[in-house]
Amino acid sequence: MATETLFDELLSIACPSADKGEFEQRFGNLVRSHGEDREALAAEVRHSIGALHLQANTMETWVFMQTRQRATEKMNLVDWVAETRGRAEELRREADDLERVAIASGVIDPPNRPETLRGMWKGMKITDEDIEEAKRSLFKAAYDDTI
């Protein structure tokens, strides 16, 4: 498929396909054809992923701001809201698929995702005294008798 820009080509690859193998094959062909300029390809991949996420977020925000449940039912927009939210979710999946394939092919590095505290505190015993000490530390003015 001939497209005008690399960005357009990436978005056309990210569109839902019946066959995941086709998605990966088309991306591999794109990587091979742009092999000499890997940094530009990585930048465009990140840009495409960001654009897909932005479009999905915008669609959901627009639906939320424009419609309330009761008004949606009165105006017979229930199907439209469901379709718009479904398309937003589809865009997120496309972005995630594009990111997964780009990482697997070595075009971009995996994102640095912060670790959650849940795993860090696993197995620790937190007592009431620990909680009180943390409160005293955070809210010094409330526990300071000199003020």
Side-chain angles (χ1 to χ4, degrees), residues 9-42:
E9 196 163 345
L10 284 165
L11 291 181
S12 75
I13 288 172
C15 288
S17 171
D19 182 17
K20 290 293 182 189
E22 177 188 350
F23 178 88
E24 293 170 1
Q25 180 184 11
R26 288 180 64 196
F27 188 81
N29 291 341
L30 183 68
V31 170
R32 282 189 289 284
S33 67
H34 289 82
E36 68 280 350
D37 197 6
R38 199 72 146 183
E39 289 180 22
L41 178 61

Side-chain angles (χ1 to χ4, degrees), residues 3 15 25 41-43 47 57-58 60 77 88 129 133 136 143:
T3 57
C15 288
Q25 180 184 11
L41 178 61
H47 180 245
N57 291 342
T58 302
E60 281 193 342
L77 294 176
E129 185 177 311
E133 183 180 337
R136 282 191 298 274
Y143 290 95

Side-chain angles (χ1 to χ4, degrees), residues 40-103:
L41 178 61
E44 282 300 310
V45 167
R46 281 190 224 92
H47 180 245
S48 301
I49 291 167
L52 289 168
H53 279 293
L54 180 63
Q55 185 176 0
N57 291 342
T58 302
M59 289 173 78
E60 281 193 342
T61 302
W62 191 79
V63 167
F64 175 74
M65 294 192 61
Q66 297 296 321
T67 60
R68 299 288 185 255
Q69 185 64 32
R70 178 175 266 168
T72 302
E73 291 168 358
K74 281 184 180 179
M75 295 184 289
N76 289 331
L77 294 176
V78 175
D79 292 338
W80 173 79
V81 169
E83 288 173 16
T84 303
R85 287 186 174 141
R87 179 62 183 137
E89 188 57 38
E90 203 173 274
L91 287 169
R92 278 196 190 85
R93 277 194 304 274
E94 292 169 14
D96 292 344
D97 287 345
L98 181 59
E99 182 179 35
R100 180 185 48 78
V101 170
I103 290 170

Side-chain angles (χ1 to χ4, degrees), residues 1-6 8-9 12 26:
M1 172 192 292
T3 57
E4 292 180 23
T5 65
L6 178 59
D8 292 336
E9 196 163 345
S12 75
R26 288 180 64 196

